[in-house]
Amino acid sequence: MSSNALRGLSFRLTLAAIWWSWFALYAAARPACNVRQEEDSHWVATWTSMPQLVEPNNMPPSPFSGSAAFRDATLRQTLHLSIGAERLRFQISNTFGGSDLPITGASVAFPTGGKSGVNGIDTATLRGLTFNGSTSVTVPRGQVAYTDPVDFKVDPQSTITVSLYSQPGQSGSSITGHPGSRTTSWMQQGNRVNASTVTGASTVHWYFLTAVEAWVPKSTTALVILGDSITDGRGSTDDANNRWPDLLLARMQEEGITNIAVCNQAAGGNTVLTGGLGPPLMQRYKRDLLTTAGAKYALIFEGVNDIGGGSTDSGSQTRIGNSLISAFKTIASDAKAAGLTVIGATITPFGGSGQSYSHPTRDQTRQRVNQWIMGGGEGSFDAAVDFAKILANPSNAANLASQYDGGDHLHPNVAGYQAIADKFPLGIFGANATTATTTTTTTTTTT
């Protein structure tokens, strides 16, 4: 071989060596990059629905209930998310089921037009869901199951559609759901998880789905709201997502607070202490607050059903007020121990002719508890928000302002929910807030 040929071969070998060296460095760097990305991310709930035992009058319509709920049927539900992400996973709950819950197939897609409550999907966005690699799962009685993570990019405030199919259905009459969905769900016989529409029947309830979690940077966290029907959205518009937490989320997003999810863990008729609908708050707060993925802020806005459902004699009302204060102290203490920022919200007015809760001694209890909340709850609260003052009639603080009264003198209307969202002090979120909103009526902070 000539000297020129040898020099050319040597040059090519040198280039090859350099190329392979760079390739090796790149290949070694990619896993490290992925590892760092994984370490810097965590799961945060972007949507939640408080699970409860479905009452007989809230069971699925015929023929989707009976000896087995959703036997050989597809259930299609739309969910309005809070924060954006590129990867999601879904929690399916059998917490209150009387038997195992078999899920034969599941999928996620964007709904037609991106709207809540519709029965159609954009099939181009359809993705199948799996459970440990399988297309089916059986959720044991009293437990929950997660889907495998799925790459499915969503923007903040997106609405998604999840379809579940169960070939055998869930036997018995005890199933897990959330009656106060304010969102239309659809169902049809047969496996329709990949179908463009589901048309058999509809109902304004959710079943089985209790959380959507987003894989996001660790700088992203969640605000978890513990409440009753006022937070659950009674008085809001079906399929419009205008409960006050939804409206607060929209305002937060508009004002640049994009790294805090808003999780609604409320249920109509719920109480703090005993009775009511769904497990009382003292029985559920560890599950619904402390185990919610990514929880950083806890807001407690409950107690009206305890006060309104109690006897009107002063002794009973004093005991209820004392018990509510004690309960809030316990919840706040456990939340702080878990590293959460705790926010107290005052109980809104319920006076007015024809309202069964309306009574002077009950309002005295409400005012006493509210005064304790606004005073910081003896150190229980990092901040307090005076929802009562936002919604009260200026000339009679025992009543809702007429423009905010949903008609029963207890539940606000959409204008009332908007007022709560508009006057919520975003400064509570500290450095996360680009605009710290201050009002003289809505916030006190304790150290």
Side-chain angles (χ1 to χ4, degrees), residues 31-253:
C33 237
N34 289 338
V35 168
R36 284 195 297 272
Q37 188 177 27
E38 293 292 304
E39 289 177 346
D40 291 340
S41 299
H42 66 158
W43 290 108
V44 173
T46 181
W47 175 90
T48 56
S49 172
M50 190 202 107
Q52 59 192 104
L53 176 66
V54 177
E55 301 92 354
N57 60 325
N58 290 323
M59 290 290 285
S62 179
F64 302 98
S65 57
S67 60
F70 297 108
R71 174 182 289 166
D72 187 29
T74 299
L75 169 64
R76 176 163 288 178
Q77 304 176 100
T78 56
L79 319 173
H80 184 63
L81 310 184
S82 54
I83 56 172
E86 296 190 1
R87 184 184 300 173
L88 303 174
R89 69 178 184 179
F90 302 84
Q91 185 189 83
I92 299 174
S93 174
N94 192 24
T95 301
F96 297 99
S99 60
D100 290 350
L101 169 62
I103 301 296
T104 313
S107 68
V108 61
F110 285 115
T112 304
K115 296 180 179 179
S116 293
V118 298
N119 63 349
I121 59 170
D122 178 358
T123 54
T125 67
L126 186 68
R127 295 293 307 274
L129 298 176
T130 58
F131 308 83
N132 291 322
S134 173
T135 57
S136 63
V137 70
T138 297
V139 188
R141 178 181 177 182
Q143 297 184 31
V144 301
Y146 279 94
T147 68
D148 296 325
V150 59
D151 291 332
F152 192 84
K153 185 177 181 179
V154 293
D155 293 326
Q157 302 182 83
S158 294
T159 296
I160 62 172
T161 298
V162 177
S163 301
L164 303 174
Y165 170 67
S166 180
Q167 195 281 323
Q170 183 166 22
S171 62
S173 57
S174 297
I175 67 174
T176 302
H178 188 87
S181 66
R182 318 303 186 224
T183 306
T184 306
S185 299
W186 296 84
M187 54 208 72
Q188 185 174 347
Q189 296 296 151
N191 187 344
R192 305 280 297 174
V193 296
N194 297 328
S196 59
T197 58
V198 167
T199 59
S202 65
T203 187
V204 188
H205 304 308
W206 282 316
Y207 304 99
F208 309 132
L209 288 169
T210 46
V212 181
E213 296 180 5
W215 186 248
V216 288
K218 287 188 176 177
S219 58
T220 298
T221 57
L223 163 67
V224 180
I225 304 167
L226 303 173
D228 47 41
S229 58
I230 297 175
T231 298
D232 204 27
R234 181 169 174 177
S236 64
T237 309
D238 286 353
D239 300 322
N241 300 305
N242 54 15
R243 314 163 190 84
W244 76 260
D246 300 319
L247 299 172
L248 175 61
L249 167 68
R251 178 173 166 234
M252 290 166 63
Q253 289 286 326

Side-chain angles (χ1 to χ4, degrees), residues 270-274 302-310 317 320 324 357:
N270 199 239
T271 59
V272 176
L273 305 170
T274 59
E302 196 161 350
V304 68
N305 292 321
D306 298 88
I307 296 171
Q317 285 299 311
I320 291 171
L324 285 175
Y357 285 4

Side-chain angles (χ1 to χ4, degrees), residues 332 336 372 375-382 446-447:
K336 286 189 172 186
W372 177 82
E378 300 172 76
S380 296
F381 303 119
D382 299 289
T446 61
T447 57

Side-chain angles (χ1 to χ4, degrees), residues 8 126 152 182 250 263 291 303 353 394-395:
L126 186 68
F152 192 84
R182 318 303 186 224
C263 297
T291 67
S353 177
S395 61

